[in-house]
């Protein structure tokens, strides 16, 4: 089973760190090309390789860790997914320029966190994500807690809980094995349309919550 990571920022790099710690190999990509990732590869090698977005996207399981506004560009024009698994790690939020009037908009309850919700016309983000990755079996995961803790699944004598959701039972069984291999305690929240909204920022009731299974 091969693993790809699209996005090498806070989330993608910590995902790579988690996989490397678990002895799992992956190919990671960003928008600027493999050479720009040499520092990360030096730290995490030999398990983690840098590649192009196409290289990462050709893996059996592809973790998508780009900002919502970059999703269409990152996934647009990729070869057919043909049933490979895409793990949607995104949240539909936009980051605000601290100096902009939007950053002080009193009608935005998230302005204090430097973000705003993106209007998806009433759709849940994973429904929109599915359209960006046609033919992929989509699982939503790794989007509900801070990326800085992602590489630490063992905490306080227990295992950090990882919520995931998806519509394809076989895909969920495959990623569950992967989550367990990394030391997480995975909890299936059901289909995408149910579990996705529950565990997604900015308003999901399980988003930002860290449960530890003792
Ligand atoms: N940070 C967190 O704590 C956290 C927690 C949960 C969920 N999330 C979600 O995870 C996603 C990523 O967040 P982040 O904080 O990791 O963002 P980030 O630090 O800004 O990193 C974004 C990454 O995406 C890459 N990227 C942008 N456009 C791309 C393209 N067209 N093709 C390939 N790669 C592209 C960037 O590469 P370049 O630098 O080369 O442009 C960068 O490596 C977001 O949807 C966020 O909501 C984040």
């Amino acid at each position: 089973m091969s693993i790809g990571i699209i996005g090498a920022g806070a989330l993608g790099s910590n995902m790579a760190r988690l996989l490397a710690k678990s002895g799992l190999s992956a190919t990671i990509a960003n928008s600027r090309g493999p050479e720009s990732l040499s520092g990360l590869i030096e730290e995490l090698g030999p398990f983690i390789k840098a590649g192009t977005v196409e290289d990462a996207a050709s893996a059996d399981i592809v973790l998508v860790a780009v900002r919502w506004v970059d999703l269409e560009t990152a996934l647009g024009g990729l070869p057919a997914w043909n049933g490979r698994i895409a793990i949607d790690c995104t949240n539909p939020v936009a980051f605000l320029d601290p100096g902009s009037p939007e950053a002080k908009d009193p009608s935005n309850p998230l302005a204090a966190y430097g973000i705003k919700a993106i209007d998806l016309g009433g759709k849940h983000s994973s429904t929109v994500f599915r359209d960006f990755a046609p033919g992929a079996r989509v699982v939503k995961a790794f989007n509900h807690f801070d990326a800085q803790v992602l590489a630490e699944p063992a905490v306080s004598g227990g295992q950090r809980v990882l919520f995931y959701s998806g519509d394809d039972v076989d895909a969920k069984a495959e990623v569950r094995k992967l989550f367990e291999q990394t030391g997480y305690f995975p909890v299936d929240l059901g289909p995408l349309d149910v579990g996705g909204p529950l565990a997604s920022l900015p308003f999901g009731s399980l988003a930002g919550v860290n449960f530890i299974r003792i």
Side-chain angles (χ1 to χ4, degrees):
M1 176 201 62
S2 56
I3 303 172
I5 307 172
I6 301 177
L11 193 75
S13 64
N14 278 303
M15 196 79 70
R17 199 160 281 121
L18 173 73
L19 294 173
K21 269 171 80 171
S22 315
L24 295 164
S25 300
T27 300
I28 188 165
N30 64 4
S31 74
R32 286 166 293 148
E35 298 74 27
S36 66
L37 293 168
S38 57
L40 184 71
I41 300 310
E42 204 172 306
E43 178 201 338
L44 301 180
F47 289 107
I48 308 301
K49 281 192 317 185
T52 62
V53 174
E54 288 74 13
D55 293 334
S58 67
D60 300 322
I61 297 180
V62 183
L63 293 139
V64 181
V66 302
R67 294 183 180 201
W68 185 265
V69 290
D70 294 322
L71 202 46
E72 191 165 9
T73 314
L75 300 188
L78 288 174
W81 284 83
N82 292 332
R84 281 173 299 108
I85 297 173
I87 304 188
D88 170 16
C89 308
T90 67
N91 285 306
V93 296
F95 294 83
L96 303 173
D97 174 353
S100 68
E102 266 192 312
K104 297 180 184 67
D105 178 0
S107 68
N108 173 13
L110 305 167
Y113 304 101
I115 54 173
K116 69 172 184 181
I118 292 178
D119 182 4
L120 300 177
K123 288 185 182 170
H124 178 252
S125 61
S126 285
T127 313
V128 181
F129 181 98
R130 256 188 315 230
D131 293 340
F132 289 141
R137 292 181 293 158
V138 176
V139 176
K140 182 117 194 152
F142 285 118
N143 64 311
H144 66 86
F145 47 65
D146 194 323
Q148 300 310 325
V149 302
L150 200 146
E152 294 154 20
V155 56
S156 304
Q159 287 171 283
R160 198 181 301 282
V161 168
L162 177 65
F163 295 123
Y164 67 105
S165 54
D167 297 335
D168 187 291
V169 174
D170 294 335
K172 283 205 288 194
E174 271 186 63
V175 296
R176 186 183 178 93
K177 262 188 251 159
L178 170 65
F179 300 155
E180 285 171 345
Q181 276 177 288
T182 62
Y184 272 93
F185 185 77
V187 173
D188 183 354
L189 295 180
L192 269 185
D193 291 348
V194 176
L198 266 178
S200 290
L201 266 76
F203 301 123
S205 50
L206 293 175
V209 175
N210 269 284
F211 287 110
I212 308 298
R213 195 230 182 209
I214 305 293

